[in-house]
Amino acid sequence: MVACTQALHRLLWNFSLMRTPHLIQHREALEKRTRESMSFFVHMARAWYTTATANKTPQSPPPPLPAPLQFDIPDRVRVHDDTGDVTSITDEASVLLRKEYLAQIFRTLPRRLQSRRLRLVYTTDEHGFSLTNFLNRTKEVGQTVLVIRDSKENVFGVFASEGWHIAHGYYGTGEAFVFKLSPELKIFQWVPNSNNFILQAEETGLGVGGGAGGSALWIDNNFKHGRTNSCPTFESEPLSTEENFLCLKLECWGFIKPKAARVSSY
């Protein structure tokens, strides 16, 4: 056994003596080739950089930003129930949605509504303080702008992205937003991934927004007593200077759909 082990050791020693010079030579050749390759790439990189900087031209300035969208504010009108006659409304008509507020509100509206005329659908001055009358007059209107003035002369409201109707639970889309018009103008849009507590209509009243902080707007079915809180749905601050407010006037405006173009047949 010992003799076999010694023979194996001699064989391995002889093999190592025979292979070692070859391996050393091969390793030296490989290292030389590596150094030559690195030197070549360094030379090419310096040549490329020199050429690129010599031919470099000054960059042209970026193109100017497009001008903001300009559009004419559509008219506010009244459609008479009996005759269907359409008359224009001016600020002298003592409406809450005055012309000075319209530009900012219309910029926040969905694009499809920005060219449509506003129609005064409901006002407490003419139709009384009643949720029932309000729902009857707005049931076929679709999207609306609701504006309130309280006893402290605060003016505020909501763009309702769906028509008002009694429902168990919330409805509406993220196009809805709430706003303050007076004494300062601020708009609060729906915050994605906040919640879907957008519009609410029950027999007890109308609500907008919801969550841990409370509703952005709530008003009872007599359109007298209301409440406003900071609301996570729109990340809005209270719309009035007081949390509990007394409503003096309420208006609701709808959008007049453009007439479809007639196609003549031949």
Side-chain angles (χ1 to χ4, degrees), residues 262-266:
R262 290 187 176 181
V263 179
S264 301
S265 57
Y266 297 93

Side-chain angles (χ1 to χ4, degrees), residues 29-47:
L30 183 61
E31 291 177 351
K32 181 181 178 182
R33 181 61 58 88
T34 303
R35 290 193 298 269
E36 292 176 350
S37 299
M38 292 179 61
S39 177
F40 172 76
F41 283 113
V42 169
H43 174 75
M44 292 297 296
R46 289 175 177 172

Side-chain angles (χ1 to χ4, degrees), residues 3-265:
C4 292
T5 303
Q6 292 176 349
L8 179 61
H9 283 176
R10 284 194 300 270
L11 179 62
L12 293 174
W13 175 253
N14 293 333
F15 178 77
S16 64
L17 292 177
M18 178 180 64
R19 299 291 295 174
T20 299
H22 173 72
L23 294 175
I24 292 174
Q25 184 180 6
H26 179 70
R27 184 179 61 191
E28 291 178 349
L30 183 61
E31 291 177 351
K32 181 181 178 182
R33 181 61 58 88
T34 303
R35 290 193 298 269
E36 292 176 350
S37 299
M38 292 179 61
S39 177
F40 172 76
F41 283 113
V42 169
H43 174 75
M44 292 297 296
R46 289 175 177 172
W48 175 83
Y49 178 78
T50 302
T51 304
T53 54
N55 298 331
K56 186 176 181 180
T57 56
Q59 295 182 352
S60 57
L65 295 175
L69 180 66
Q70 301 290 334
F71 54 88
D72 295 329
I73 302 300
D75 294 335
R76 294 159 295 168
V77 301
R78 183 193 308 271
V79 180
H80 294 272
D81 295 335
D82 298 332
T83 63
D85 294 338
V86 178
T87 57
S88 296
I89 296 177
T90 63
D91 286 346
E92 287 72 20
S94 300
V95 293
L96 299 179
L97 192 59
R98 302 177 64 82
K99 189 173 183 179
E100 61 187 283
Y101 306 137
L102 289 177
Q104 190 64 32
I105 290 178
F106 264 75
R107 287 191 181 95
T108 316
L109 289 173
R111 183 64 60 87
R112 65 184 181 278
L113 300 178
Q114 292 180 352
S115 60
R116 298 186 184 182
R117 292 185 295 173
L118 280 170
R119 171 192 174 188
L120 184 59
V121 179
Y122 177 91
T123 171
T124 50
D125 288 348
E126 298 179 16
H127 308 112
F129 292 80
S130 168
L131 176 61
T132 302
N133 288 347
F134 173 86
L135 293 175
N136 286 336
R137 294 190 62 85
T138 60
K139 62 183 178 181
E140 303 294 337
V141 176
Q143 299 98 330
T144 55
V145 177
L146 184 71
V147 190
I148 294 172
R149 185 180 72 219
D150 67 10
S151 59
K152 301 298 182 180
E153 296 301 318
N154 300 290
V155 181
F156 49 90
V158 56
F159 165 67
S161 54
E162 284 190 23
W164 293 101
H165 60 276
I166 299 294
H168 298 289
Y170 288 87
Y171 54 90
T173 69
E175 294 177 330
F177 58 86
V178 296
F179 52 82
K180 300 167 64 174
L181 298 182
S182 180
E184 58 180 342
L185 196 156
K186 286 187 177 181
I187 294 180
F188 307 94
Q189 295 180 269
W190 176 71
V191 178
N193 301 321
S194 57
N195 59 53
N196 294 320
F197 304 151
I198 298 177
L199 304 176
Q200 184 183 26
E202 300 177 344
E203 289 79 2
T204 55
L206 302 177
V208 183
S215 299
L217 176 62
W218 172 264
I219 188 165
D220 66 10
N221 55 7
N222 292 318
F223 290 167
K224 279 293 185 182
H225 300 284
R227 182 176 66 254
T228 178
N229 302 97
S230 299
C231 179
T233 308
F234 306 96
E235 287 188 353
S236 57
E237 59 192 51
L239 304 179
S240 176
T241 52
E242 295 186 348
E243 176 181 349
N244 298 299
F245 62 85
L246 180 65
C247 174
L248 295 185
K249 184 174 181 178
L250 182 147
E251 294 175 352
C252 186
W253 299 78
F255 297 88
I256 298 179
K257 296 181 180 180
K259 295 181 179 180
R262 290 187 176 181
V263 179
S264 301
S265 57

